[in-house]
C-alpha cells in the first residue's frame, strides 16, 4: 500500500490530493508488474480503468498496414486510459511495457469517487489527457529509435568479450552525457563509485533500475552469461540489444537467440563482431534478426565512437537521389560536409546517388569520389556502347566491367560504414533495398534506367533503376532511426514539354528518346517530393537546372555550384534547433 501511495504522490496530477486523499485513493488501487515487451491492454479492449506508470516505461502503439505506429511513450508519473474510461469507449491503442514496469491500476469506481471529491483534479487531469492526444507532435516511423538511452551488452557465446566492449562503450558514451553500468549486482561509471549491494533480478529491482534511468543519460546493462535471469532482464530493459561475438566464431542458436526472438517488436538487436578474423556477418544478423552489424577491434576508439553514434541515434545519414549527370552534385555535398568537419555514418543511394555513395562509403572521401566519377563519365564516357534497341539503348557492358574493376569482390556488408542502394522490382511492383551482397552487382541494378540500360534479372525478378519508385531514398534512412537524415535531391525542377514557337530541331532536342525514357522512368509529383522532404532533417534541392541526364561535360560546374549551395545550407541547418540531435564531435 505504501508503494502505491508513493507512486501517486510522485505523479503531477495526483500529488495535489493531499495526505488523506492519497491514502484513501491508494486503498482502492492495485499494483501490477508488467515484464518488458508484455502488453497491459490491447487496442479495442474495454476502457475500464486509469493506469499510472509507477516505475519503468510504457508505450502506446497501434497496428497499421505499414507496421507498428508509436502513439506515445510514457515514463514514471504519467497516465494512460483516462479518456477511454470517461468516454465509456474501448482503448484506441495497445499499451506495451518497454521496460520491466510497475503500473498502478485505478478502477472506474475509484476514478468516479475521485472526480466527485476533487473537482480540481478532474479539470487538470482532463486537460493533460487532451493535450497528450490533441497537441502532441505526430510521431514518425523510426523516431522512437532515435532516443535510445539504454544498451544491453550481452554475450552470444561463452568467452565473448562483453566487458571489453562495455568498457569501450562507456568511454564513448561519457563524451555524450552521464553514464552508469550495472551487471545485476554492482554499479560503476565515471560519475559514480563502484558499489555492489543489489540483486537486480528481483521485483524490487524494477524501482532501482527506473531510478538509474532517471538519474543518468545512458545506462549500460551488462550480462556475462546469456542464459540467466539477469541477462533476460537486461534484454527487457534495453532500447537496443548489443550482441557480442568474437570474430572466427560460428553463429549458432542459443538461449540468447531464443529469448531475443520472443522480444520482437520490443528492442532492436544488433551484432558486434570483435576482432579481425573471418566471420559470417550475414549469418549472425539472420540468427538475431538484426538489420545492422558492427565490426570493431579492441582499442579502435574511432570505431566505437561510430558505433555509439549509430546505437544512440546520433549518426548522420545521407540519402542520395538519382538523376544521371545531375548526380555529380552529390560530390559537392560531400565536399561541403568535409569542409565543415561533418561525417556520414550511413548512406543510402539511388541510381547515380548509389554510385557516388558507394565510392564515398569505400573510404575514398570527396576528392577520391570525384576523381573516379570524372574518369568514368567524362574521360571515358562508359555509357556510350549503343546497341540495336531490343530491351535497351545501351549494353552498359563497359560500365559494368569498370564497376567490377573498381569494387572487385567487395560485398556491401563488408563496407566500413552502413551502405545500401535502391532498385525497383518491376515483377513485384515495389522498391527494394539492398544492404548486403556483391556491391558492383547491385550498383548496376540500381543504375539500370528502363529502356536506356538493360535490366538485371535476380531470382526470376526484373530489377531496374531505383529512381522509378524511390527518386530520393530518405524514407529508408528515416525508418532506421539512427539520427538526422540529410537528403540530396538532384531532380531538375523544370517543365517537360514544347512551346508553339519551337523549331523542329528544338522539338527533337526536347523530346529525344533519352529524355523521354528517363522522364518516364523517374516521374515524381510535387506532393511526393514534399512527403519525402517531411521525413528528413535537411532536404537539399540541388542547383542542377539546365543539366540533362547525359550532360557529362557539366561535371565541374555542377560540383562547384553544389559545393557552395550545400555549405550554405549545412551551415544554416547546424545553427538551427532541428540539428539538435546531430553529434558533430
Amino acid at each position: 500500500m505504501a508503494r502505491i501511495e508513493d507512486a501517486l504522490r510522485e505523479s503531477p496530477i495526483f500529488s495535489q490530493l493531499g495526505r488523506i486523499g492519497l491514502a484513501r485513493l491508494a486503498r482502492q488501487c492495485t499494483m501490477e508488474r508488467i515484464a518488458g515487451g508484455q502488453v497491459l491492454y490491447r487496442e479495442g479492449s474495454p476502457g475500464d480503468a486509469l493506469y499510472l506508470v509507477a516505475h519503468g516505461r510504457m508505450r502506446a502503439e497501434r497496428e497499421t498496414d505499414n507496421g507498428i505506429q508509436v502513439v506515445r511513450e510514457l515514463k514514471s508519473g504519467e497516465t494512460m486510459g483516462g479518456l477511454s474510461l470517461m468516454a465509456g469507449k474501448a482503448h484506441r491503442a495497445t499499451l506495451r511495457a518497454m521496460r520491466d514496469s510497475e503500473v498502478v491500476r485505478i478502477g472506474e469506481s475509484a476514478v468516479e469517487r475521485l472526480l466527485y471529491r476533487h473537482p480540481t483534479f478532474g479539470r487538470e487531469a482532463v486537460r493533460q489527457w487532451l493535450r497528450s492526444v490533441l497537441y502532441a507532435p505526430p510521431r514518425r516511423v523510426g523516431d522512437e529509435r532515435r532516443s535510445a538511452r539504454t544498451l544491453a551488452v550481452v554475450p552470444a557465446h561463452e568467452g565473448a568479450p562483453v566487458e571489453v566492449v562495455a568498457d569501450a562503450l562507456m568511454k564513448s558514451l561519457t563524451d555524450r552525457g552521464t553514464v552508469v553500468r550495472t551487471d545485476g549486482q554492482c554499479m560503476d561509471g565515471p560519475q559514480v563509485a563502484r558499489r555492489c549491494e543489489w540483486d537486480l533480478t528481483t521485483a524490487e529491482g524494477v524501482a532501482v533500475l527506473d531510478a538509474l534511468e532517471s538519474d543518468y543519460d545512458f545506462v549500460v546493462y551488462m550480462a556475462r552469461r546469456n542464459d540467466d535471469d539477469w541477462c533476460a532482464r537486461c534484454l527487457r530493459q534495453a532500447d537496443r540489444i548489443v550482441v557480442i561475438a568474437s570474430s572466427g566464431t560460428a553463429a549458432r542458436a542459443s538461449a540468447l537467440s531464443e529469448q531475443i526472438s520472443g522480444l520482437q517488436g520490443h528492442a532492436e538487436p544488433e551484432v558486434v563482431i570483435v576482432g579481425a578474423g573471418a566471420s559470417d556477418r550475414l549469418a549472425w544478423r539472420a540468427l538475431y534478426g538484426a538489420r545492422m552489424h558492427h565490426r570493431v577491434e579492441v582499442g579502435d576508439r574511432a570505431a566505437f565512437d561510430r558505433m555509439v553514434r549509430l546505437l544512440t541515434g546520433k549518426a548522420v545519414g545521407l540519402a542520395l537521389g538519382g538523376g544521371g549527370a545531375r548526380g555529380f552534385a552529390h560530390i559537392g555535398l560531400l565536399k561541403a560536409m568535409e569542409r565543415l568537419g561533418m561525417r556520414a555514418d550511413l548512406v543510402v543511394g539511388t541510381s547515380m546517388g548509389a554510385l557516388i555513395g558507394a565510392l564515398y562509403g569505400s573510404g575514398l572521401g570527396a576528392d577520391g569520389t570525384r576523381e573516379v566519377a570524372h574518369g568514368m563519365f567524362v574521360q571515358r564516357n562508359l555509357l556510350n556502347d549503343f546497341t540495336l534497341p531490343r530491351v535497351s539503348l545501351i549494353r552498359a557492358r563497359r560500365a559494368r566491367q569498370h564497376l567490377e574493376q573498381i569494387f572487385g569482390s567487395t560485398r556491401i556488408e563488408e563496407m566500413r560504414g552502413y551502405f545500401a542502394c535502391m532498385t525497383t522490382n518491376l515483377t513485384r511492383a515495389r522498391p527494394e533495398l539492398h544492404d548486403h551482397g556483391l556491391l558492383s552487382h547491385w550498383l548496376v541494378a540500381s543504375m539500370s534506367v528502363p529502356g536506356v540500360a538493360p535490366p538485371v534479372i535476380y531470382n526470376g525478378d526484373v530489377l531496374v533503376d531505383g529512381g522509378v519508385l524511390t527518386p530520393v531514398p530518405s524514407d529508408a534512412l528515416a525508418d532506421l532511426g539512427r539520427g538526422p537524415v540529410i537528403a540530396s535531391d538532384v531532380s531538375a525542377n523544370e517543365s517537360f514539354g514544347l512551346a508553339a514557337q519551337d523549331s523542329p530541331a528544338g522539338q527533337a532536342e526536347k523530346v529525344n528518346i533519352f529524355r523521354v525514357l528517363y522522364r518516364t522512368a523517374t516521374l515524381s509529383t510535387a506532393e511526393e517530393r514534399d512527403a519525402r522532404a517531411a521525413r528528413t532533417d535537411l532536404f537539399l534541392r540541388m542547383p542542377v537546372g539546365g543539366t540533362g541526364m547525359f550532360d557529362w561535360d557539366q561535371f565541374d560546374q555542377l560540383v562547384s555550384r553544389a559545393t557552395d549551395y550545400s555549405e550554405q545550407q549545412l551551415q544554416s541547418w547546424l545553427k538551427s534547433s532541428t540539428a539538435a540531435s546531430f553529434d558533430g564531435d
Side-chain angles (χ1 to χ4, degrees):
M1 189 68 65
R3 297 183 69 241
I4 294 178
E5 190 171 336
D6 288 342
L8 293 170
R9 187 179 296 108
E10 293 298 319
S11 172
I13 65 172
F14 292 105
S15 58
Q16 61 183 293
L17 298 181
R19 182 175 61 84
I20 296 175
L22 286 172
R24 183 186 294 119
L25 178 60
R27 289 194 294 271
Q28 304 172 65
C29 301
T30 57
M31 181 79 83
E32 299 185 17
R33 293 191 175 96
I34 312 296
Q38 298 302 305
V39 168
L40 178 61
Y41 60 71
R42 293 195 176 276
E43 181 178 359
S45 61
D48 56 0
L50 172 65
Y51 295 93
L52 166 69
V53 181
H55 300 106
R57 199 166 86 197
M58 307 291 288
R59 185 174 80 184
E61 61 187 33
R62 295 192 184 105
E63 289 190 22
T64 70
D65 293 339
N66 297 320
I68 298 296
Q69 175 196 9
V70 177
V71 178
R72 181 184 167 202
E73 290 190 357
L74 298 90
K75 58 183 184 296
S76 299
E78 296 185 314
T79 57
M80 192 72 181
L83 289 180
S84 298
L85 174 64
M86 296 187 69
K89 298 291 186 180
H91 290 297
R92 299 177 62 246
T94 294
L95 193 62
R96 185 184 301 275
M98 302 309 294
R99 303 280 189 275
D100 282 3
S101 301
E102 292 182 323
V103 177
V104 176
R105 184 183 187 279
I106 310 169
E108 183 174 6
S109 59
V111 173
E112 288 178 351
R113 283 192 289 270
L114 184 62
L115 293 172
Y116 176 76
R117 288 172 174 156
H118 302 275
T120 56
F121 160 81
R123 285 196 298 271
E124 181 57 28
V126 170
R127 284 193 186 117
Q128 289 197 22
W129 298 336
L130 287 174
R131 286 192 201 109
S132 67
V133 173
L134 299 178
Y135 299 104
R139 299 181 65 91
R140 304 170 301 182
V141 175
D143 281 358
E144 70 278 4
R145 293 193 289 273
R146 284 199 188 189
S147 58
R149 296 178 51 242
T150 61
L151 308 176
V153 182
V154 294
H157 54 81
E158 190 73 27
V162 289
E163 197 149 2
V164 171
V165 173
D167 286 342
L169 288 176
M170 294 277 286
K171 291 177 182 177
S172 292
L173 287 167
T174 300
D175 293 340
R176 293 158 176 79
T178 57
V179 57
V180 66
R181 169 177 56 183
T182 178
D183 62 4
Q185 294 181 329
C186 300
M187 296 179 192
D188 67 346
Q191 296 89 11
V192 59
R194 184 172 177 83
R195 297 169 59 191
C196 300
E197 55 190 70
W198 295 276
D199 178 4
L200 298 179
T201 62
T202 64
E204 288 69 26
V206 173
V208 177
L209 298 180
D210 188 40
L212 282 184
E213 294 185 22
S214 297
D215 293 342
Y216 293 89
D217 296 318
F218 301 102
V219 181
V220 176
Y221 295 100
M222 185 181 72
R224 292 184 173 85
R225 293 175 53 86
N226 65 15
D227 59 353
D228 59 10
D229 292 341
W230 171 243
C231 181
R233 172 152 285 183
C234 289
L235 301 181
R236 298 195 302 267
Q237 293 293 128
D239 289 325
R240 291 199 190 277
I241 299 168
V242 185
V243 181
I244 310 302
S246 299
S247 62
T249 305
R252 294 190 178 91
S254 64
L256 180 66
S257 61
E258 293 178 5
Q259 288 183 74
I260 290 178
S261 66
L263 289 173
Q264 293 300 322
H266 171 56
E268 193 166 355
E270 301 190 9
V271 176
V272 178
I273 301 172
V274 183
S279 291
D280 190 338
R281 300 163 174 84
L282 296 184
W284 280 112
R285 278 165 53 174
L287 177 61
Y288 289 99
R291 289 196 292 178
M292 195 172 291
H293 69 274
H294 310 270
R295 188 68 182 263
V296 298
E297 294 188 41
V298 177
D300 187 348
R301 178 62 185 270
F304 279 99
D305 284 348
R306 182 173 60 251
M307 182 168 71
V308 163
R309 290 193 298 272
L310 290 163
L311 290 171
T312 59
K314 302 293 185 182
V316 171
L318 293 184
L320 306 180
R326 298 166 183 157
F328 297 148
H330 298 316
I331 301 173
L333 170 59
L334 300 178
K335 288 181 70 66
M337 291 181 66
E338 288 185 358
R339 287 181 183 178
L340 297 172
M342 297 175 64
R343 65 178 68 83
D345 293 305
L346 310 95
V347 180
V348 179
T350 288
S351 196
M352 182 63 81
L355 174 60
I356 300 300
L359 293 170
Y360 175 78
S362 298
L364 292 180
D367 289 338
T369 299
R370 175 180 180 143
E371 181 180 349
V372 174
H374 189 274
M376 284 188 67
F377 298 101
V378 180
Q379 294 177 349
R380 297 182 181 87
N381 192 4
L382 296 176
L383 295 181
N384 67 352
D385 51 345
F386 296 99
T387 184
L388 183 66
R390 184 178 177 187
V391 294
S392 64
L393 293 175
I394 63 174
R395 296 184 182 89
R397 186 179 302 157
R398 294 175 61 206
R400 182 183 296 108
Q401 291 172 346
H402 195 69
L403 289 174
E404 291 170 352
Q405 291 173 8
I406 294 172
F407 297 108
S409 60
T410 299
R411 297 182 64 82
I412 294 176
E413 67 270 18
E414 296 171 349
M415 298 175 71
R416 185 175 179 83
Y418 179 87
F419 173 78
C421 62
M422 304 297 301
T423 64
T424 298
N425 189 320
L426 292 183
T427 304
R428 304 177 188 274
R430 69 186 185 194
E432 303 271 8
L433 182 141
H434 308 279
D435 62 358
H436 62 274
L438 192 63
L439 177 57
S440 60
H441 173 82
W442 291 121
L443 288 178
V444 169
S446 185
M447 299 173 69
S448 297
V449 179
V452 176
V456 170
I457 310 300
Y458 183 75
N459 286 341
D461 289 351
V462 180
L463 304 179
V464 297
D465 192 298
V468 174
L469 293 178
T470 317
V472 183
S474 51
D475 281 358
L477 271 177
D479 290 348
L480 289 173
R482 300 303 171 136
V485 174
I486 299 174
S488 178
D489 183 358
V490 293
S491 60
N493 187 18
E494 58 189 24
S495 62
F496 183 79
L498 300 173
Q501 65 272 22
D502 283 341
S503 66
Q507 293 177 355
E509 172 62 24
K510 289 187 176 181
V511 295
N512 67 64
I513 189 169
F514 291 104
R515 292 198 68 199
V516 170
L517 288 173
Y518 187 75
R519 178 69 171 175
T520 303
T522 58
L523 282 175
S524 182
T525 66
E527 290 78 10
E528 290 170 331
R529 281 197 302 271
D530 291 344
R532 290 193 296 271
R535 299 295 309 278
T536 69
D537 296 84
L538 178 62
F539 192 82
L540 302 175
R541 290 280 290 159
M542 288 296 186
V544 295
T547 302
M549 178 183 179
F550 294 106
D551 288 347
W552 315 121
D553 59 341
Q554 294 194 30
F555 185 97
D556 291 329
Q557 302 96 301
L558 280 168
V559 173
S560 178
R561 292 202 308 266
T563 302
D564 294 341
Y565 169 79
S566 298
E567 187 169 359
Q568 179 184 20
Q569 296 297 313
L570 287 168
Q571 286 176 331
S572 298
W573 176 69
L574 288 172
K575 296 175 183 177
S576 69
S577 60
T578 58
S581 60
F582 167 60
D583 179 5
D585 294 340

